[in-house]
Amino acid sequence: MTHTDQDRIIALAGVHQAAYCVQRIANRGSVDIEPLEPCIYSLFQIDAEDVPSVYGEPGAVATGARQVIAQITGEPERDLDLTRYVIALLRHERTLAKRRDILAVIGGRISGAAAARGNLPLLDREVLAGLAGIYADTISKLEPRIIVRGNPRYLQNSDNQDRVRALLLAGIRSAMLWHQTGGSRWQILFGRNKLLDAARAYLRATANA
């Protein structure tokens, strides 16, 4: 399948949106449902018909697209902590791509989580705890581990820990999609203008949807 610049920016925005949500929870103790839900939704989309539908409704990763723009342009400002999370997620995805044994476990566990979810809401505590368990049992064992920094009062809360781990799993899922659509580290380093144009086009298109 041939993928477009829009496919790639949607996937990269997914990585940034997951990182943004992790950062908000770590520093503020909560995050809005609007950016959180598409990240979790993406984990259950195993056979999506196209890239946009991985995240749900049009504009689902608008928050992530805005973060891509801010990181490239510095407006309103670049966030080095967010950049650190994005780099870590992309790096872990490359490590995970070489570990088919772990990928098989994750795939099986996510299928099981989807079946066990039943009619539970997507952001139900049990659903998030199940996804967090998948991350803890697999990806968290890869070195170097992703270190989440923030307010200890928020990070020590068990529900927040589950949200963060589920989001890190979602961020790596988006990183996988980024590579599957032809995204690469070189495009981030040397193709920023094209990424910026694609992110702005995505926001314009979804604003008019």
Side-chain angles (χ1 to χ4, degrees):
M1 179 184 294
T2 300
H3 292 287
T4 66
D5 289 339
Q6 278 295 288
D7 289 336
R8 283 184 282 278
I9 200 60
I10 289 170
L12 188 61
V15 179
H16 281 72
Q17 190 154 306
Y20 168 87
C21 289
V22 167
Q23 190 179 44
R24 299 286 283 197
I25 292 170
N27 293 323
R28 302 190 181 190
S30 65
V31 66
D32 291 340
I33 290 175
E34 185 178 19
L36 171 62
E37 193 167 61
C39 296
I40 303 304
Y41 179 86
S42 71
L43 288 169
F44 294 105
Q45 308 314 303
I46 299 170
D47 295 314
E49 63 181 39
D50 55 30
V51 173
S53 63
V54 170
Y55 300 97
E57 298 297 322
V61 290
T63 296
R66 286 191 285 270
Q67 297 306 310
V68 171
I69 292 170
Q71 296 297 83
I72 293 174
T73 64
E75 298 176 359
E77 62 181 356
R78 292 187 179 89
D79 188 326
L80 296 180
D81 206 35
L82 183 72
T83 298
R84 182 176 64 82
Y85 288 131
V86 169
I87 291 172
L89 291 168
L90 293 171
R91 182 185 63 226
H92 265 60
E93 186 278 331
R94 289 291 79 198
T95 300
L96 193 60
K98 302 171 186 175
R99 294 295 305 272
R100 294 189 177 276
D101 54 332
I102 298 179
L103 284 172
V105 171
I106 292 172
R109 291 276 298 272
I110 287 178
S111 295
R117 177 188 162 202
N119 294 321
L120 289 175
L122 188 62
L123 301 182
D124 185 86
R125 290 173 65 182
E126 289 186 26
V127 175
L128 293 172
L131 295 172
I134 296 172
Y135 179 88
D137 293 341
T138 56
I139 297 169
S140 71
K141 300 184 185 304
L142 298 175
E143 296 291 344
R145 297 178 66 180
I146 299 176
I147 304 299
V148 175
R149 298 170 182 161
N151 189 317
R153 181 161 63 94
Y154 301 138
L155 291 173
Q156 289 167 7
N157 178 280
S158 60
D159 286 341
N160 283 341
Q161 290 174 0
D162 286 344
R163 291 188 189 99
V164 164
R165 287 171 179 148
L167 284 163
L168 292 175
L169 184 63
I172 290 173
R173 190 268 192 267
S174 288
M176 292 180 69
L177 187 61
W178 160 251
H179 282 285
Q180 288 167 356
T181 56
S184 70
R185 183 166 61 95
W186 299 110
Q187 289 179 30
I188 295 174
L189 292 174
F190 302 113
R192 294 190 168 195
N193 287 338
K194 182 176 284 190
L195 292 174
L196 184 59
D197 290 344
R200 286 171 170 164
Y202 172 77
L203 291 177
R204 285 195 301 270
T206 54
N208 297 325

